[in-house]
């Protein structure tokens, strides 16, 4: 998955969860690349980039743009990358 454009996401509803980029695969390799700014605000949790493998596999996130997250009552994550099973996770960037 590749992004090169500005992303702005707001979720003002009660417990609203917001994600700038969300990618998921069941098994295998998930690669997310972004080179633009991401701004995310949610009343609940807010995710700039969230990559998730539901079983075995690897997640790689590369971000070369700025990420700004905010949350009213939850947690703001710039990048959250995880795998439920066996695999590697890598997060890289200059933003």
């Amino acid at each position: 998955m590749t992004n090169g454009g500005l992303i702005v996401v707001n979720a003002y509803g009660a417990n609203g969860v917001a994600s700038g980029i969300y990618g998921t695969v069941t098994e295998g390799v998930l690669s997310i690349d972004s080179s633009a700014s991401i701004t995310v605000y949610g009343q609940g949790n807010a995710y700039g980039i969230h990559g998730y493998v539901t079983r075995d596999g690897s997640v790689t996130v590369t971000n070369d743009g700025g990420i700004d997250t905010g949350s009213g009552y939850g947690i703001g994550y710039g990048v959250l990358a995880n795998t439920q099973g066996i695999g590697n996770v890598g997060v890289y960037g200059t933003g």
Side-chain angles (χ1 to χ4, degrees):
M1 177 184 314
T2 302
N3 170 58
L6 172 69
I7 296 174
V8 177
V9 179
N10 295 301
Y12 292 112
N15 296 314
V17 175
S19 295
I21 297 174
Y22 178 74
T24 185
V25 296
T26 302
E27 288 183 307
V29 177
L30 174 61
S31 178
I32 300 173
D33 298 304
S34 179
S35 61
S37 294
I38 300 171
T39 302
V40 180
Y41 178 82
Q43 285 294 322
N45 290 346
Y47 305 88
I49 299 174
H50 185 185
Y52 179 59
V53 179
T54 60
R55 295 184 184 168
D56 293 342
S58 63
V59 180
T60 301
V61 176
T62 303
N63 178 59
D64 293 325
I67 298 177
D68 181 23
T69 62
S71 173
Y73 300 99
I75 299 172
Y77 298 92
V79 176
L80 178 61
N82 58 321
T83 178
Q84 194 67 17
I86 298 170
N88 297 317
V89 173
V91 177
Y92 310 95
T94 61

